[in-house]
């Protein structure tokens, strides 16, 4: 068995024994992951990181004297993300990881990404055509940039997923905007933050040119103090969120000293609302009860019972002794009186 380092995918095979020069060696690939042409073998990466070749040794003057030997070439070491992160940075060792794409910077085209398995997550600056949710086999060296461990990705192979198979994100680690100290960002901090799935709160999403950023409100309206450089597929950004406080879920992928933290995004949502905020919005969204003729009702009608933010609405009559209108759940029944009657309805908005 022979270990091949990460210098490339093609190497030259010996065609003559170095000790017994009268012995010639012919090679054949015993699987479809390697091809041999003019003494050179070109291999692709297998699931277990090996390539099998068959050597036929023949005497130079007597072809009847021959023997064969199968040689296993290790072209990479299968590892988990946790194991990969413990490896030293090197271009000479190849590793093979199997897991899922959990964050992607582009829609339907080549881009950087975050890869994860059950043991952790790691960023790849090397760009490939992948999408969130893809199950993949990655061949990579152990790389790093500004202290941030990275995949030195050589190849990505998409794998078939079993029925119902998917990646489950871990519980996010909360990081408030107030706790992001740009002056403290350094290589050691990147090593500490690498692979953590964050929920970043307290920032306002905005756009600068073609780039998405997030920060806090500046001194004047429309100006912001940048905290985050947001790398995200455009499909993940709701234009209605621009200028609003948001929650950003994702992984740290780098920094610019004293300027911003760079995040590879999984999703962006509007900030978490308090119950009071949800009720206030539901109240604001509740419009007056009207009929085709305005606010005059001669016939029975139906009241809304579901409001904004998942609220429920119940109704009652403010005035006592009203017989011209009765309410049961969503049904308002009009009993036509002899003269017009003004009735005030009270909506009670609740969160379940």
């Amino acid at each position: 068995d022979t270990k091949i380092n990460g210098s490339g995918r093609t190497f030259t095979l010996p065609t003559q024994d170095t000790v017994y020069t009268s012995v010639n060696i012919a090679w054949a690939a015993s699987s479809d992951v390697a091809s041999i042409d003019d003494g050179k073998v070109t291999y692709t990466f297998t699931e277990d990181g090996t390539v099998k070749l068959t050597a036929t040794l023949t005497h130079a003057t007597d072809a009847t004297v021959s023997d064969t030997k199968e040689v296993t070439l290790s072209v990479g070491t299968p590892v988990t993300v946790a194991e990969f992160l413990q490896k030293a940075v090197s271009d000479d060792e190849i590793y093979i990881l199997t897991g899922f794409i959990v964050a992607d910077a582009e829609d339907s085209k080549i881009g950087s990404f975050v890869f994860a398995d059950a043991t952790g997550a790691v960023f790849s600056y090397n760009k490939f055509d992948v999408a969130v949710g893809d199950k993949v086999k990655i061949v990579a060296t152990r790389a790093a940039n500004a202290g941030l461990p990275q995949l030195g990705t050589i190849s990505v192979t998409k794998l078939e997923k079993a029925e119902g198979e998917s990646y489950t994100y871990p519980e996010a680690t909360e990081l408030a905007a107030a706790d992001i100290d740009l002056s403290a960002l350094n290589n050691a901090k990147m090593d500490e933050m690498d692979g953590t799935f964050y929920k970043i709160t307290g920032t306002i999403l905005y756009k600068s040119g073609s780039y998405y950023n997030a920060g806090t409100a500046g001194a004047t309206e429309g100006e912001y103090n940048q905290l985050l450089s947001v790398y995200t597929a455009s499909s993940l950004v709701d234009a209605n969120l621009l200028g609003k406080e948001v929650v950003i879920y994702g992984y740290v992928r780098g920094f610019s000293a004293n300027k911003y933290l760079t995040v590879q995004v999984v999703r962006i949502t509007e900030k978490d609302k308090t119950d009071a905020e949800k009720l206030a919005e539901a109240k604001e969204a509740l419009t007056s009860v009207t009929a085709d003729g305005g606010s005059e009702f001669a016939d029975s009608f139906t009241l809304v019972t579901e409001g904004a933010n998942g609220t429920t609405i119940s109704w009652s009559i403010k005035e006592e002794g009203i017989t011209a209108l009765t309410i049961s759940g969503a049904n308002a029944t009009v009993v036509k009186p002899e003269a017009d009657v003004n009735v005030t309805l009270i909506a009670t908005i609740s969160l379940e």
Side-chain angles (χ1 to χ4, degrees):
D1 290 358
T2 303
K3 179 69 182 290
I4 306 299
N5 67 20
S7 60
R9 296 194 199 176
T10 302
F11 57 93
T12 302
L13 295 164
T15 57
Q16 191 174 58
D17 191 273
T18 56
V19 177
Y20 301 102
T21 56
S22 60
V23 177
N24 297 325
I25 307 173
W27 294 90
S30 56
S31 65
D32 59 1
V33 297
S35 61
I36 298 174
D37 182 28
D38 193 26
K40 292 186 177 182
V41 59
T42 299
Y43 60 84
T44 56
F45 295 99
T46 58
E47 184 70 25
D48 61 357
T50 61
V51 170
K52 293 184 183 297
L53 302 177
T54 300
T56 300
L57 298 85
T58 307
H59 195 281
T61 60
D62 186 355
T64 63
V65 180
S66 67
D67 199 0
T68 61
K69 180 179 180 179
E70 190 175 78
V71 179
T72 300
L73 304 178
S74 299
V75 297
T77 304
V79 292
T80 65
V81 170
E83 292 168 337
F84 177 82
L85 293 175
Q86 296 302 312
K87 303 297 183 181
V89 174
S90 172
D91 291 332
D92 294 329
E93 293 292 331
I94 285 181
Y95 302 101
I96 300 174
L97 303 93
T98 301
F100 290 86
I101 304 299
V102 296
D104 181 20
E106 300 289 346
D107 282 315
S108 303
K109 59 181 179 179
I110 294 172
S112 54
F113 59 89
V114 177
F115 167 87
D117 62 14
T119 69
V122 62
F123 172 66
S124 172
Y125 180 79
N126 292 358
K127 300 172 174 61
F128 286 84
D129 184 7
V130 294
V132 171
D134 285 346
K135 182 180 181 180
V136 296
K137 176 185 65 182
I138 289 181
V139 178
T141 59
R142 172 65 162 82
N145 181 55
L148 185 77
Q150 292 186 4
L151 292 161
T153 308
I154 298 170
S155 71
V156 177
T157 303
K158 295 182 182 180
L159 305 175
E160 290 291 329
K161 290 185 284 189
E163 185 175 354
E165 184 180 16
S166 64
Y167 178 78
T168 300
Y169 288 89
E171 183 176 353
T173 297
E174 293 205 26
L175 177 62
D179 295 329
I180 300 175
D181 182 0
L182 298 180
S183 66
L185 298 180
N186 53 36
N187 290 10
K189 189 66 174 178
M190 289 301 97
D191 190 35
E192 175 189 325
M193 300 181 81
D194 176 63
T196 301
F197 181 50
Y198 282 105
K199 174 186 178 181
I200 304 173
T201 60
T203 63
I204 299 169
L205 184 69
Y206 65 98
K207 202 169 185 180
S208 178
S210 59
Y211 296 97
Y212 290 102
N213 300 312
T216 56
T220 60
E221 186 176 354
E223 290 186 356
Y224 304 95
N225 303 310
Q226 185 179 7
L227 287 174
L228 306 177
S229 177
V230 179
Y231 279 75
T232 177
S234 58
S235 61
L236 295 180
V237 181
D238 181 351
N240 294 321
L241 294 179
L242 291 173
K244 294 182 179 180
E245 187 174 335
V246 295
V247 179
I248 297 175
Y249 294 85
Y251 299 86
V252 170
R253 53 167 277 172
F255 74 101
S256 180
N258 294 307
K259 292 183 177 180
Y260 52 77
L261 187 65
T262 307
V263 177
Q264 193 96 11
V265 170
V266 173
R267 66 181 183 274
I268 302 175
T269 64
E270 196 168 352
K271 75 164 186 173
D272 298 334
K273 300 171 185 175
T274 65
D275 287 351
E277 289 172 328
K278 291 178 181 178
L279 289 170
E281 287 185 0
K283 180 180 178 180
E284 182 70 21
L286 183 61
T287 58
S288 301
V289 178
T290 60
D292 291 340
S295 59
E296 297 181 1
F297 292 82
D299 299 310
S300 299
F301 54 93
T302 301
L303 295 162
V304 295
T305 56
E306 295 181 356
N309 297 323
T311 55
T312 58
I313 304 171
S314 60
W315 296 86
S316 60
I317 298 173
K318 181 178 180 179
E319 295 84 3
E320 295 183 359
I322 294 294
T323 59
L325 182 69
T326 59
I327 296 175
S328 176
N331 300 313
T333 303
V334 175
V335 179
K336 191 171 183 180
E338 294 182 0
D340 290 346
V341 177
N342 291 326
V343 179
T344 305
L345 299 184
I346 298 175
T348 300
I349 306 171
S350 306
L351 278 169
E352 293 183 351

